[in-house]
């Protein structure tokens, strides 16, 4: 009996996901963009101070010695950059993507322009919606986080990090776009390197920030669709262009 | 002696304003846009509930009976819509612009695209930066407000209101754009009618919202440049275009 109940639940979940996918496809179909339904994950790790050392060393242009072991075995090793878990893993930058996919089950999508459809926006903070995005020969990590920076007032923070060095990150521009109910909000910036730590980017507020009321205006039935595009960074050569 | 000190102060202010104007012109010169330096005004009026009646009646498609007199003399009269002062004036919609110019000294600018340069962003909340913008045969009121929606955490709210009816407002789209330090933030929406009251638009959060940290990233030496453009609203005919 329990088996049948579980099967029925799984089928219902599948129908719900397909419905959301088709709904998003309908909204964005004109642009022919790939729509990715991203389910939330309640963040198990919450230690913003962990990143201070990572950021300081990254700013000095060296790979960070900050990880969960006391002794640095190899300065070329980086800690696990998964924003969800305190993970003791460390490895070379080149294998971070496979670690995130295999150990933390973070999906990866291909394409220059995709739509990130975050479900269940009503869930309490802290909650993260995460995917990897493969584009222009590099991999990026997109993080949408619901967090109470001010107690009792949750906000949504969205940013894109390059799984690469800060120097490589400077070659790109990412764009996040919300478009609904005759309102449009666009954020364009240079992605930060994954070595700079997503927690510090969010605590600095250097990302797309949405109050709950604005997130509700842009969301449809509890889901928020974010259009994502990545380009090489020549767009920003002149700040005069408005 | 006091006279000379005052004169010297006035000359210094003038030099400071010209300096800010040239600095903004340098940033935006490529686009050939008109730059308007807007000084802050400490808001003397702060009664958000005043607008409830205005909004309710506007949603029903009638002109608002909410004003500072107990008796409604003429349903065609509207109260003063100046966001800065509790003003007992009331008059026809057609003369609101001249009232705002003459009584409240709000400047008016011509042009489809202008740059609004708000100075002294560090001033404590509540503070407003206000201009009128004449474009496409109509007048718009641009309000940038620094306000503590959550105590101790000031935020910046920017919106554009049409000095006209909600039906007229639906014909337009306004765009506010911030562009600095390899970051760009764009907000596009249908302007609200001035009859809907700016306080309620801001308390609903249905406008461009900036945390202090983001405002600092976009500001230059305490001034925030906002590019403004108004178009007819056919842009929003399809939400699919991302």
């Amino acid at each position: 009996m329990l088996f049948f109940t579980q099967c029925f639940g799984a089928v219902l979940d599948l129908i719900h996901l397909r419905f959301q996918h088709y709904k998003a496809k309908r909204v964005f179909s004109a642009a022919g963009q790939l729509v990715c339904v991203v389910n939330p994950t309640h963040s198990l790790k919450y230690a913003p101070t962990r990143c201070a050392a990572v950021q300081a060393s990254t700013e000095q242009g060296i790979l960070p010695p900050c990880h969960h072991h006391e002794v640095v075995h190899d300065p070329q090793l980086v800690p696990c950059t998964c924003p969800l878990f305190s993970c003791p893993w460390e490895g070379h930058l080149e294998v971070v993507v496979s670690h995130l996919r295999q150990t933390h089950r973070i999906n990866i999508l291909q394409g220059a322009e995709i739509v990130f459809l975050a479900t269940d926006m009503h869930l309490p903070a802290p909650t993260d919606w995460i995917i990897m995005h493969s584009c222009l020969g590099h991999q990026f990590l997109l993080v949408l986080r619901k967090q109470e920076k001010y107690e009792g007032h949750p906000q949504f923070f969205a940013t894109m990090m390059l799984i690469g060095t800060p120097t490589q990150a400077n070659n790109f521009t990412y764009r996040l776009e919300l478009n609904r109910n005759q309102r449009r909000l666009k954020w364009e910036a240079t992605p930060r390197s994954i070595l700079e730590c997503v927690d510090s980017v969010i605590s600095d507020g250097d990302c797309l920030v949405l109050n709950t009321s604005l997130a509700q205006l842009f969301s449809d039935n509890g889901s928020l669709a974010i259009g994502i595009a990545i380009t090489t960074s020549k767009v920003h050569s002149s700040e005069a262009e408005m």
Side-chain angles (χ1 to χ4, degrees), chain A:
Chain A
M1 185 64 194
L2 184 68
F3 173 75
F4 285 111
T5 314
Q6 280 180 340
C7 278
F8 185 65
V11 169
L12 276 184
D13 279 355
L14 206 65
I15 291 169
H16 178 66
L17 276 177
R18 293 305 294 175
F19 174 69
Q20 282 182 317
H21 184 257
Y22 280 116
K23 199 167 55 179
K25 250 188 140 171
R26 185 166 45 78
V27 174
F28 296 102
S29 59
Q33 289 164 323
L34 179 69
V35 175
C36 173
V37 176
V38 185
N39 291 317
T41 313
H42 192 77
S43 186
L44 295 175
K45 171 198 74 109
Y46 216 71
T49 51
R50 163 184 174 258
C51 303
V54 178
Q55 198 174 17
S57 61
T58 310
E59 278 165 5
Q60 291 160 24
I62 51 170
L63 286 172
C66 162
H67 48 71
H68 299 273
H69 303 294
E70 288 302 311
V71 185
V72 178
H73 302 289
D74 180 348
Q76 295 297 314
L77 297 182
V78 298
C80 171
T81 52
C82 177
L84 298 171
F85 307 99
S86 279
C87 164
W89 182 89
E90 61 177 18
H92 288 266
L93 197 54
E94 294 74 23
V95 289
V96 168
V97 172
S98 60
H99 169 73
L100 291 175
R101 288 188 74 171
Q102 287 161 16
T103 310
H104 301 299
R105 310 257 169 213
I106 298 177
N107 285 332
I108 190 160
L109 285 169
Q110 301 278 339
E113 297 198 12
I114 60 170
V115 175
F116 176 100
L117 186 74
T119 64
D120 303 313
M121 301 293 289
H122 63 278
L123 288 181
T127 298
D128 285 286
W129 291 258
I130 296 175
I131 53 160
M132 282 189 289
H133 181 188
S134 179
C135 174
L136 301 170
H138 285 79
Q139 279 78 39
F140 299 83
L141 188 71
L142 178 80
V143 180
L144 171 68
R145 176 169 294 175
K146 187 175 186 178
Q147 186 175 319
E148 287 190 11
K149 212 169 167 181
Y150 312 128
E151 209 183 317
H153 306 291
Q155 289 179 299
F156 292 89
F157 302 87
T159 190
M160 204 138 201
M161 318 280 292
L162 175 77
I163 302 175
T165 65
T167 312
Q168 288 173 320
N170 281 337
N171 296 325
F172 298 98
T173 297
Y174 73 97
R175 191 185 74 207
L176 304 179
E177 184 168 338
L178 303 168
N179 188 7
R180 198 168 174 268
N181 278 332
Q182 296 188 308
R183 287 159 186 85
R184 189 179 293 193
L185 186 63
K186 271 190 204 182
W187 165 260
E188 271 181 44
T190 303
R192 297 288 195 91
S193 158
I194 198 84
L195 303 178
E196 292 181 66
C197 193
V198 70
D199 294 340
S200 60
V201 172
I202 287 173
S203 64
D204 291 349
D206 186 11
C207 53
L208 177 65
V209 186
L210 289 177
N211 282 345
T212 316
S213 54
L214 211 50
Q216 275 171 350
L217 276 169
F218 282 112
S219 66
D220 179 20
N221 208 13
S223 296
L224 185 73
I226 306 177
I228 303 167
I230 298 174
T231 52
T232 50
S233 61
K234 283 171 189 169
V235 179
H236 279 305
S237 59
S238 163
E239 293 205 341
E241 184 211 336
M242 289 288 283

